[in-house]
Amino acid sequence: MSAFNGLSQRAWCTLREAGHDVGVLLATTEAEITAGVRAAAPDLIVCPFLKDRVPAEVWQRWRAVIIHPGPVGDRGPSSLDWAISESAARWGVTALQAVEEMDAGPIWATRTFPMPAGTPRKSALYNGPVADAAVQCILEVVAKAADPAFLPVPAEAMPVEVPGARLRPPMRQTDRGFAWNHATHEVVRAVRAADGSPGMRTTVAGRDVYAYDAHPGPAADAVPGTLLGHHEDAVLVATGDGSVWLGHLRAATAQRSVKLPATTVLAAELAGVPATDGAPRRVRYRREGPVGWVEFDFYNGAMARAHCERLLTVLRHAAAQDTTVLVLLSGTDAFSNGIHLNVAEAAADPAAAAWANIRAINDVCREILGCAGQTVVAGYAGSAGAGGVMLGLGADVVAARAGIVLNPYYDIGLYGSELHTLTLQRRVGAEQAARLLDEKLPVSAEQALGMGLVDQVGPRDPDEYRAWLTALAGRCAAPPEGRYLHDGKRAALARDWLPVEAYEARELAEMSHDMFADRSGFAAARHAFVAKTRPAGTPDRLLPRPVLPPSPPVKTPRARKAARPRADRVKS
């Protein structure tokens, strides 16, 4: 695989929990890929995320199955870009065997799904419906691989279930059909089809940029392309029939440009541009009877200092209300991925920026942990990584959506903070906490439930999860359950022999060595993460490991209890 991304992590967790022996090999050079496969001698190779061609020596000797993010008949590297740009009603995922010609091999499994309502961001489509369908295909592939009589179906013999699916070239910027004088919905679609990568290249306030994170704005009577206003991270730009908010930009001409909040990129151009309300709010509060809801949705889950400060302000407002339950609910793209590495990398003093960022996210963690007036429920509707996993662990109840992945602390040269030395150990015990932190490996929501990292797992479908979480909050608001949960946290805190501030002080002492003395290579790892540098090799922690026992069944409306026999060893 080209990277151990969100889909790859889901596949890894799912296969290991089903009893398979799974190893990971990152795509580096053709010679290293071939040598790695030869050394592992797998029974099956699954490629959930691969940008490169499988070496001939590999696919000719081993069964190698590519997970392609398009339906039967679709071919090419820009499948999701084309699907969003052309407003496809349905889309799909195909598992096909690697052959000489890209995306042309015989088919092992396929799934189709309706496209989400509205216009999805490419990254949200990939991490949502595409990932769900891909995991289903992978499980089917592994089951079929255990059958010696199975033969994949030639691609030309499979029916095309999605009209228009065909071989298409990589989408170029000129193919995206973008112009500021187009209607707002067309501008939003063009930007969202390029979101994540490569971005929509355009000009804003005279700057050549790549645009991301687009949302419809209000009606406006101005020359298309005019910068109309700004609010928090976003800038407002006139379109042919209204306006659009752009939340993130990347300079197109700078040699080492970084995707950043739009107001940061255009800071010099905003002089004289009015501050304007109306941008999509990343943090918002609402109340439903005895339950207060703090909902937040930060782009890609990255939380810069300013994001943490906004979340903290809303949390303090929520804690001051006369509700009995406070629910902290994330968007489905991500719960949190911790501090904003892009903002730190782009700062004049990256170490100082990262330090201020970790102090700000710790303030949020202390507010959650110290909330004395309400039962706090942390709703992990999206996956979480690094310090973002730890962010909600101080809540009375941690409730995760089925299918998400929690990946504690990436291997990025940081000790970590977010009060994890208190909250993580209190949840899973000292031995399990040490293992999670040392291994830095993802766990599924279901596995997290088994170890006590989370307390409840709700339905996989986002709408069903929200309804389930609402019911859970209602139960927490009614005695005796809510008071029992809240008193339990208070009692646990009282038993700790150190005050909360002491745990934070010890963590920050360690972090200071990482951020300012760079004792563990944080600067280089941060830059590699931001620049998406190709990996030099596969980390040891991703190599084949002892098989975990299957997770216990999850008692949710969507739970499935299906016994799966142990299958072949799988290489992804």
Side-chain angles (χ1 to χ4, degrees):
M1 62 184 69
S2 296
F4 197 44
N5 68 348
L7 172 56
S8 301
Q9 291 176 28
R10 270 190 70 178
W12 187 87
C13 289
T14 300
L15 291 171
R16 280 175 54 82
E17 289 176 18
H20 304 293
D21 185 4
V22 187
V24 170
L25 181 66
L26 297 181
T28 50
T29 67
E30 183 170 314
E32 288 173 340
I33 293 171
T34 303
V37 172
R38 190 185 300 117
D43 296 304
L44 177 68
I45 300 171
V46 178
C47 306
F49 175 63
L50 185 65
K51 296 181 178 180
D52 304 284
R53 188 183 302 274
V54 177
E57 184 178 340
V58 171
W59 64 258
Q60 288 172 355
R61 293 182 59 187
W62 286 274
R63 295 174 298 178
V65 179
I66 310 296
I67 305 302
H68 175 68
V72 172
D74 176 81
R75 293 172 57 194
S78 301
S79 295
L80 300 184
D81 307 61
W82 289 110
I84 296 170
S85 295
E86 297 180 354
S87 302
R90 293 190 66 81
W91 205 242
V93 170
T94 307
L96 46 89
Q97 191 159 325
V99 294
E100 180 65 29
E101 190 176 356
M102 293 285 283
D103 301 337
I107 293 172
W108 285 64
T110 183
R111 294 290 189 281
T112 63
F113 52 83
M115 287 283 278
T119 302
R121 285 173 47 215
K122 183 171 66 171
S123 52
L125 178 64
Y126 180 81
N127 291 319
V130 169
D132 289 343
V135 169
Q136 293 174 19
C137 284
I138 289 169
L139 289 173
E140 182 177 335
V141 165
V142 173
K144 287 176 175 176
D147 178 4
F150 172 77
L151 291 174
V153 180
E156 59 273 14
M158 287 287 289
V160 176
E161 297 178 287
V162 175
R166 61 190 185 278
L167 171 63
R168 282 188 277 203
M171 181 176 276
R172 303 178 301 273
Q173 289 292 339
T174 52
D175 297 322
R176 297 185 183 275
F178 177 91
W180 284 116
N181 61 0
H182 290 173
T184 295
H185 74 275
E186 294 174 339
V187 171
V188 169
R189 180 182 297 115
V191 175
R192 290 184 178 178
D195 216 316
S197 178
M200 183 67 245
R201 189 160 186 171
T202 184
T203 301
V204 179
R207 293 281 301 279
D208 188 10
V209 296
Y210 290 94
Y212 311 84
D213 192 17
H215 302 268
D221 184 13
V223 175
T226 302
L227 187 59
L228 301 174
H230 62 91
H231 180 72
E232 295 181 348
D233 293 343
V235 295
L236 185 65
V237 184
T239 65
D241 65 350
S243 63
V244 65
W245 289 101
L246 297 176
H248 283 73
L249 300 172
R250 178 170 66 86
T253 53
Q255 188 173 7
R256 291 178 57 185
S257 63
V258 175
K259 188 191 304 182
L260 294 167
T263 48
T264 300
V265 175
L266 298 181
E269 287 77 17
L270 292 179
V273 177
T276 308
D277 204 355
R281 293 194 175 275
R282 299 297 189 186
V283 188
R284 50 206 176 274
Y285 177 77
R286 62 184 173 87
R287 176 173 179 167
E288 294 180 356
V291 180
W293 293 78
V294 174
E295 299 190 39
F296 64 101
D297 190 2
F298 297 114
Y299 184 72
N300 290 337
M303 297 174 62
R305 177 182 180 180
H307 301 137
C308 298
E309 291 171 347
R310 292 173 203 151
L311 180 55
L312 180 64
T313 297
V314 177
L315 275 172
R316 287 176 172 168
H317 170 78
Q321 307 308 304
D322 61 346
T323 56
T324 55
V325 174
L326 193 166
V327 180
L328 184 66
L329 176 62
S330 75
T332 55
D333 284 0
F335 180 81
S336 171
N337 284 314
I339 64 174
H340 204 310
L341 296 175
N342 284 29
V343 169
E345 178 73 9
D349 186 342
W355 180 255
N357 199 163
I358 198 66
R359 298 291 298 271
I361 204 169
N362 279 0
D363 289 343
V364 174
C365 296
R366 280 202 312 274
E367 187 67 28
I368 295 169
L369 183 63
C371 183
Q374 292 120 326
T375 299
V376 182
V377 178
Y380 285 62
S383 294
V389 174
M390 311 300 172
L391 179 67
L393 296 189
D396 300 291
V397 181
V398 177
R401 182 169 64 88
I404 71 165
V405 172
L406 306 176
N407 193 357
Y409 290 133
Y410 307 131
D411 192 8
I412 202 164
L414 290 178
Y415 176 83
S417 191
E418 294 91 8
L419 305 181
H420 77 274
T421 54
L422 169 61
T423 58
L424 179 63
Q425 182 167 318
R426 184 149 56 84
R427 283 193 159 270
V428 304
E431 184 177 343
Q432 184 77 275
R435 185 179 69 82
L436 287 170
L437 295 172
D438 289 344
E439 292 181 349
K440 296 179 174 63
L441 291 171
V443 295
S444 69
E446 292 78 8
Q447 187 181 349
L449 176 66
M451 67 177 63
L453 185 60
V454 306
D455 303 300
Q456 302 271 349
V457 174
R460 184 184 307 274
D461 178 83
D463 293 333
E464 293 180 14
Y465 175 76
R466 179 179 284 267
W468 173 88
L469 190 65
T470 300
L472 174 63
R475 293 195 301 273
C476 292
E481 183 170 351
R483 180 47 55 186
Y484 171 79
L485 292 167
H486 184 68
D487 289 349
K489 182 173 80 171
R490 297 297 104 201
L493 287 174
R495 287 195 300 269
D496 289 313
W497 63 277
L498 291 175
V500 172
E501 292 77 12
Y503 290 93
E504 182 183 21
R506 293 195 304 188
E507 293 169 5
L508 290 178
E510 298 288 346
M511 292 285 273
S512 67
H513 294 295
D514 294 333
M515 290 180 171
F516 294 106
D518 200 29
R519 68 174 175 185
S520 301
F522 172 56
R526 182 189 65 239
H527 175 71
F529 180 90
V530 170
K532 295 181 172 57
T533 302
R534 192 183 187 97
T538 304
D540 289 343
R541 69 181 190 279
L542 299 181
L543 297 175
R545 308 176 61 81
V547 178
L548 294 171
S551 297
V554 180
K555 297 178 180 178
T556 74
R558 299 276 290 183
R560 293 184 298 176
K561 192 160 56 176
R564 297 188 182 96
R566 180 187 173 104
D568 300 343
R569 297 175 63 240
V570 181
K571 193 78 173 178
S572 62

